[in-house]
Amino acid sequence: MSINTGSWRLRIEWSMGSSSACGTNLPQTVSQPQSIIDDIFGDGFFWAVPKARRSLERRRTRRNGSTKLEHWATPRKNIKECLVCGHWHLAHTICGNCYDKVRKETEEMRATMNKNDRDYNAPHTEVVYVYQGEEKDTELLKGKYVVEVDKPRPEWFSKFLLTKALGRR
Amino acid sequence: MLRIPIKVTARKLPHAGGRGSGPQGRINKMRKLVTALIRHERIEGQYQWVDEARGYAERLILEAQRNGDTHKGTMEMADYWLLEKDLVHKLFKVLVPRYTNYPASFTQLWSLGETFPGRPVPMAVLELKGNPWPPVVPKERDQRNSLVNILLDQARKDYRQQKYESIAALELNKQSEQQTSNIDDSSASTS
């Protein structure tokens, strides 16, 4: 049952086993006269429900509003070209293609390390990865945890990342 | 003082350890991320999580560097934030020496953007500086010797040369004009 009471449209539900409709459990003697509303609704309680149908225009604006449409319709101007590989990426991000290469290489390097040392007992010194054909017994690597990789070093992965600080030797 | 910009208030992160986990779930997630960062030195994840964990990792390393491993509070902090206890040794024996006299932040955050088509969630890479992995951003190619740049350089030089010559010619003209006017003046005064 629904009824329009001024500003609110209310749906009234009677709880199961409510006695007002049947009148079996009502007290026999009523000291004060009840109001008309109480007479009508009894033990029912109110839910808020939509008062009016949403028009077509409002529904469409809600679902794909003007801001969304604007966002989808305007071309993106923050797309850049990677200077190394030429793939496209967003201006505030790094190049995905270049990073895929790095990720793959990193995983390979990670796989070469001893699993126990890698995952459970982290070495107490710096870890250094030595590729195929590189010197292991240099002074730079003294006292460090050396991991050997069975392949030559990729060209894009330079050996000395701090060349500027070290200078030529 | 941290070396990265952070907000004063903590970021609102929904459902850290599942629904209803609350603030403790959030802290647990942060602990996991910090542990993973110290372990692997480079982790990937959703930008908001990784960015939030960054501050905690920075603070932990900073405290360890300042107070050393004899300080009780710092050791308790390390014990709390590092879920795997072999990493406590790594923190004090590897990372603290690595970052001595280090003016900048200890971590680096790279934005990966969203995968398209796919889930529109911005991802990121968080890494400790000085790690053994290949660099995230490759070196840019040295393009000084490419043909276009050589031609452009030459064109620039030619243009500059022309400019100088024209300026010199103008100056010469001015001087000659002045000389002629001086001669005219002197001749007029004498006559």
Side-chain angles (χ1 to χ4, degrees):
Chain A
M1 178 188 174
S2 68
I3 188 164
N4 202 345
T5 57
S7 60
W8 286 94
R9 184 173 181 252
L10 300 166
R11 203 175 86 214
I12 304 149
E13 286 186 7
W14 278 275
S15 52
M16 293 297 289
S18 116
S19 55
S20 70
C22 321
T24 48
N25 292 340
L26 272 174
Q28 293 295 320
T29 55
V30 180
S31 57
Q32 288 178 351
Q34 286 181 324
S35 65
I36 304 165
I37 295 172
D38 281 350
D39 263 356
I40 296 166
F41 298 132
D43 286 347
F45 55 96
F46 303 104
W47 294 107
V49 288
K51 195 177 165 187
R53 175 180 168 273
R54 275 168 174 165
S55 70
L56 236 127
E57 189 186 345
R58 287 201 175 213
R59 188 214 297 163
R60 283 177 185 163
T61 315
R62 193 184 74 250
R63 285 192 186 161
N64 25 16
S66 57
T67 51
K68 277 185 198 171
L69 273 178
E70 203 180 333
H71 178 67
W72 294 331
T74 45
R76 286 194 172 184
K77 288 182 181 174
N78 58 345
I79 295 173
K80 282 169 78 180
E81 192 184 0
C82 179
L83 291 173
V84 177
C85 66
H87 280 68
W88 300 98
H89 65 97
L90 289 179
H92 62 282
T93 64
I94 56 175
C95 172
N97 186 48
C98 289
Y99 183 66
D100 274 344
K101 204 165 59 180
V102 172
R103 183 195 283 134
K104 203 178 163 190
E105 181 66 27
T106 308
E107 278 168 12
E108 280 181 28
M109 287 164 76
R110 219 169 249 166
T112 53
M113 192 170 166
N114 183 10
K115 199 182 173 187
N116 186 36
D117 288 353
R118 189 189 64 197
D119 292 344
Y120 305 108
N121 299 314
H124 295 179
T125 55
E126 294 277 2
V127 179
V128 180
Y129 286 84
V130 173
Y131 281 86
Q132 208 174 47
E134 288 176 2
E135 290 181 13
K136 285 181 286 181
D137 305 326
T138 55
E139 285 189 11
L140 277 170
L141 305 183
K142 201 173 276 181
K144 290 182 179 176
Y145 187 95
V146 178
V147 183
E148 290 175 45
V149 188
D150 282 345
K151 66 171 195 174
R153 182 180 285 269
E155 282 181 15
W156 49 269
F157 181 15
S158 73
K159 194 179 174 185
F160 290 108
L161 300 173
L162 296 170
T163 42
K164 274 181 189 171
L166 285 170
R168 280 190 182 177
R169 288 191 174 183
Chain B
M1 185 81 183
L2 286 182
R3 284 118 187 232
I4 53 167
I6 53 160
K7 283 185 178 178
V8 178
T9 53
R11 179 187 262 138
K12 280 185 181 177
L13 296 168
H15 314 140
R19 280 172 188 275
S21 58
Q24 190 55 46
R26 180 188 191 282
I27 292 169
N28 289 346
K29 175 115 181 173
M30 289 297 126
R31 284 162 80 189
K32 278 180 194 169
L33 281 170
V34 170
T35 308
L37 177 66
I38 303 290
R39 164 83 63 200
H40 300 294
E41 308 213 2
R42 181 179 286 171
I43 55 171
E44 283 176 49
Q46 287 185 24
Y47 188 92
Q48 51 173 2
W49 295 112
V50 162
D51 189 18
E52 196 67 14
R54 189 187 179 192
Y56 294 96
E58 286 267 343
R59 180 69 188 272
L60 184 63
I61 296 170
L62 197 65
E63 293 285 325
Q65 200 185 46
R66 272 183 190 164
N67 302 325
D69 52 355
T70 51
H71 190 250
K72 196 187 169 191
T74 310
M75 199 50 111
E76 279 171 1
M77 277 271 281
D79 187 35
Y80 181 76
W81 282 97
L82 300 173
L83 298 171
E84 296 156 11
K85 302 307 169 197
D86 58 315
L87 294 176
V88 179
H89 293 278
K90 184 178 179 180
L91 176 67
F92 287 103
K93 290 178 184 170
V94 181
L95 299 183
V96 169
R98 188 194 286 179
Y99 298 126
T100 44
N101 302 325
Y102 202 76
S105 63
F106 313 126
T107 55
Q108 182 95 45
L109 185 68
W110 304 97
S111 185
L112 281 175
E114 303 161 6
T115 48
F116 182 83
R119 212 153 63 105
V121 180
M123 304 294 279
V125 183
L126 181 64
E127 62 175 1
L128 288 175
K129 285 179 185 173
N131 56 28
W133 314 121
V136 170
V137 173
K139 269 187 178 177
E140 282 187 18
R141 272 186 301 182
D142 186 8
Q143 293 177 333
R144 277 174 301 179
N145 295 329
S146 76
L147 183 60
V148 176
N149 283 339
I150 288 170
L151 290 174
L152 275 171
D153 276 348
Q154 195 54 45
R156 222 173 273 135
K157 269 182 197 169
D158 290 349
Y159 175 75
R160 211 173 288 143
Q161 193 63 35
Q162 280 179 11
K163 205 80 181 169
Y164 291 150
E165 280 169 7
S166 67
I167 289 166
L170 273 174
E171 288 290 320
L172 279 173
N173 279 339
K174 272 184 191 172
Q175 281 180 9
S176 62
E177 277 173 17
Q178 274 183 1
Q179 281 173 3
T180 50
S181 63
N182 286 339
I183 292 160
D184 290 345
D185 290 345
S186 59
S187 62
S189 63
T190 47
S191 65

